[in-house]
Amino acid sequence: MEALAELERVQTRILERILKLELTHLPHNAEPISSSSPLTNGDASADVEARLSNILRSNAVNDFMFKRVASNYYEWPLESRRDALGAASVHHLCKSIVLVNTQAPPNVIDCSDWNNSKYYVVVVQYTARFNAETVKNFLYTLNNGKISKKKFNLRLAPEETSIKLTGYEHNAVTCIGMQTDIPVILDEALVKLNPDFFWLGGGEVDLKLGIRTSEFINFVKPFIVSCSGS
């Protein structure tokens, strides 16, 4: 039994290294995983959780957990969602939204330049109101004022665009293991949470990911911006 367990550990480490290499070389215009995969729903669900877990562990993220929720989870009030996940408060419940810069110059078509990207993913609390104007001002300053403010107009990306870029459907978007290396903006309010452990989408509508804020920041390396209000 010990030999078998050791063999499984070796196989897992090999798969993690292969996955990391694949993600490193993933093209920006990669298509999302086909819904016609021969995996059953149960197998596919387990595969998503295992894939994201491997990505996190291989990038020194150890304080995280996944939880399955009911199919009508998004019909519940935030207090019920908090209780289902065991979150510290409703303020620890977050969402990841894909934004598109609709006024980007014609030569800005992808995410190759994080300072001036066509797309961004913003992580913000459900209890907060996202303020796109603050992100616009942040990007203007980030580029040292060399790009006109008129060239920054962040709007919610169409759902089909979000799916293509991230590989995740609505209410399942997470910053981990996206199809495209999209720059992430983390609302500063999340950094101030106590305890510093928040919840966001886990790659499937009924799968949620809880993660230590400091480890998330070390891995994802997001821009930290005060971009919301109550």
Side-chain angles (χ1 to χ4, degrees):
M1 292 295 291
E2 292 182 2
L4 180 58
E6 178 60 25
L7 177 59
E8 290 178 347
R9 284 193 290 270
V10 171
Q11 290 175 330
T12 299
R13 287 195 294 269
I14 292 173
L15 287 172
E16 287 176 355
R17 291 170 184 167
I18 292 173
L19 179 59
K20 192 171 182 180
L21 286 171
E22 289 176 342
L23 290 170
T24 301
H25 294 89
L26 187 68
H28 291 297
N29 61 349
E31 293 292 334
I33 298 171
S34 171
S35 59
S36 61
S37 168
L39 292 174
T40 65
N41 289 338
D43 290 338
S45 298
D47 183 65
V48 169
E49 183 174 341
R51 182 176 72 87
L52 298 186
S53 295
N54 286 338
I55 292 172
L56 290 167
R57 292 194 183 98
S58 64
N59 285 278
V61 178
N62 299 300
D63 195 355
F64 68 90
M65 66 174 67
F66 286 93
K67 280 195 176 182
R68 290 281 168 190
V69 296
S71 59
N72 62 342
Y73 173 84
Y74 283 102
E75 299 174 13
W76 299 352
L78 292 178
E79 291 76 12
S80 297
R81 300 184 202 178
R82 173 202 61 199
D83 295 343
L85 295 174
S89 76
V90 293
H91 305 298
H92 288 72
L93 306 178
C94 306
K95 55 185 174 182
S96 303
I97 54 177
V98 179
L99 302 179
V100 56
N101 182 4
T102 61
Q103 295 299 318
N107 62 310
V108 179
I109 59 174
D110 56 23
C111 305
S112 56
D113 181 358
W114 279 26
N115 289 0
N116 186 24
S117 176
K118 180 72 173 179
Y119 304 97
Y120 289 91
V121 172
V122 174
V123 181
V124 66
Q125 296 159 298
Y126 273 100
T127 55
R129 183 186 297 275
F130 172 65
N131 187 339
E133 191 67 20
T134 59
V135 175
K136 173 181 178 177
N137 293 333
F138 167 76
L139 294 174
Y140 175 75
T141 302
L142 185 64
N143 287 277
N144 300 311
K146 295 179 180 179
I147 301 174
S148 171
K149 278 190 178 182
K150 294 180 180 179
K151 296 299 181 182
F152 298 109
N153 186 47
L154 282 300
R155 292 290 181 264
L156 186 67
E159 186 172 350
E160 60 271 20
T161 300
S162 176
I163 293 173
K164 181 177 180 180
L165 291 170
T166 66
Y168 305 120
E169 62 181 305
H170 180 59
N171 285 335
V173 178
T174 185
C175 305
I176 312 303
M178 294 186 291
Q179 293 282 12
T180 309
D181 192 16
I182 312 174
V184 176
I185 296 174
L186 182 70
D187 186 17
E188 187 179 54
L190 292 174
V191 181
K192 300 176 181 178
L193 286 174
N194 184 25
D196 62 333
F197 190 95
F198 69 94
W199 289 86
L200 69 164
E204 293 184 314
V205 175
D206 67 343
L207 184 64
K208 305 305 163 191
L209 167 64
I211 189 168
R212 182 68 57 188
T213 310
S214 56
E215 293 192 2
F216 175 89
I217 292 172
N218 289 338
F219 170 36
V220 177
K221 295 179 173 53
F223 295 114
I224 300 175
V225 182
S226 178
C227 58
S228 70
S230 56

